[in-house]
Amino acid sequence: MTGGRRQGREEGRQPVNLSTSGSRNGSMQVTVTAEMRRRIIEGDIEPGAPLSELALAEEFGVSRTPAREALKQLAAEGLVEIRPRVGTFVTTPSRREITELFEMKELIEGAAARLLAKRGRVAEIGLLERNLREADEAVARGDRKRHAELVQEFHDVLITGADNSKLEGHYRMLMNQLAYGRLVKTSLSQPGRALESDREHHLVLELILEKDADSVEHVMREHVRASRRALLAGLPTSRHEKTLSA
């Protein structure tokens, strides 16, 4: 299935030197963690889906130790929930949790846009320009999958362009907790949102090119708020949340 699984099986057929087995387990834990993180973030595994330590060990051709440690790491990142004596499940964030995470996303991306605007004509500007040309084409032909990928790329390049490792570190962790790759598709599926989002990205870039740090931070934050509203409109409301809003 995956390179991680093939790698694990190939290594599993080789004799393990006990003096190096610890480092091997650590390497395989990284492999399992990275692949499972990708699957969850991109929506290959649905929220609430159970995850079996034994099944992971068998799939990746590793012992249960790296599989167990991988699940612990994913739990620390907020991607899975370990329920003692029940099992491990992909996290299903509530609407409140999504709102809180998007509030943090708004702050971080607003700050990133401000920092990038102050840097001038750096390499990331060219990447954003190319991104928007491709996004315009994807929206025009109704290619939702490609547009969602480009939306994620726009935000990633913006963060990288801020040139602040601490900000980027917090952002990456936040995106993992949001499983943003899955949520952005829901947001963009709302009527008219794809075109609106594309126009908002164009305005952000225009203000960055004008080096208008104050305005671009404001516009970027409003863009994230608009995305959050579209996302929440597309999510099902639980019976408990309906009762609270009544």
Side-chain angles (χ1 to χ4, degrees):
M1 175 179 294
T2 63
R5 182 173 69 175
R6 289 193 297 270
Q7 178 184 351
R9 287 181 174 175
E10 291 169 0
E11 291 183 5
R13 288 195 293 266
Q14 298 173 356
V16 178
N17 186 323
L18 292 178
S19 64
T20 61
S21 62
S23 61
R24 176 181 180 277
N25 277 346
S27 174
M28 293 312 301
Q29 176 193 332
V30 171
T31 298
V32 177
T33 302
E35 174 58 16
M36 294 306 296
R37 182 189 294 117
R38 183 197 66 77
R39 294 181 190 178
I40 294 171
I41 291 173
E42 294 184 5
D44 294 344
I45 307 177
E46 292 295 319
L51 298 174
S52 166
E53 177 185 305
L54 178 59
L56 287 180
E58 291 178 348
E59 177 184 351
F60 287 91
V62 300
S63 69
R64 296 183 67 165
T65 297
R68 182 184 309 117
E69 292 305 313
L71 291 176
K72 288 181 180 179
Q73 176 60 36
L74 294 172
E77 295 176 13
L79 288 174
V80 307
E81 179 184 0
I82 299 176
R83 304 174 193 168
R85 295 182 296 280
V86 177
T88 302
F89 304 85
V90 176
T91 300
T92 303
S94 66
R95 293 171 71 89
R96 177 180 176 85
E97 288 171 327
I98 289 174
T99 296
E100 291 175 347
L101 288 168
F102 261 82
E103 287 172 345
M104 295 304 300
K105 185 175 186 290
E106 176 189 330
L107 292 171
I108 292 173
E109 292 192 359
R114 166 181 283 274
L115 290 171
L116 179 53
K118 292 181 176 181
R119 293 188 66 205
R121 185 80 193 191
V122 293
E124 287 79 9
I125 299 298
L127 295 177
L128 291 175
E129 290 173 334
R130 185 184 67 184
N131 173 280
L132 288 182
R133 287 194 297 270
E134 294 185 22
D136 290 345
E137 294 171 359
V139 172
R141 66 175 181 267
D143 188 342
R144 291 185 177 182
K145 182 177 182 296
R146 181 56 181 153
H147 184 220
E149 293 170 349
L150 290 165
V151 166
Q152 291 184 71
E153 179 185 282
F154 182 92
H155 290 257
D156 284 343
V157 173
L158 184 78
I159 293 295
T160 303
D163 194 30
N164 185 304
S165 62
K166 299 301 182 183
L167 181 147
E168 184 171 357
H170 286 296
Y171 177 81
R172 301 302 174 200
M173 180 67 75
L174 183 65
M175 289 300 97
N176 285 351
Q177 292 178 340
L178 276 171
Y180 186 66
R182 183 175 65 231
L183 297 181
V184 70
K185 296 174 185 175
T186 301
S187 174
L188 292 173
S189 68
Q190 297 306 295
R193 181 56 196 155
L195 183 58
E196 290 174 357
S197 177
D198 193 47
R199 289 171 176 169
E200 290 161 7
H201 280 184
H202 274 281
L203 179 55
V204 167
L205 181 57
E206 287 174 14
L207 293 171
I208 288 173
L209 291 172
E210 293 172 5
K211 299 183 180 181
D212 190 342
D214 290 337
S215 294
V216 76
E217 179 174 9
H218 173 78
V219 167
M220 190 67 209
R221 292 185 62 168
E222 177 52 39
H223 168 64
V224 176
R225 286 195 292 269
S227 296
R228 183 186 72 193
R229 289 192 295 269
L231 169 61
L232 292 176
L235 291 178
T237 303
S238 69
R239 183 181 304 175
H240 175 65
E241 287 168 333
K242 286 180 179 177
T243 300
L244 290 178
S245 63

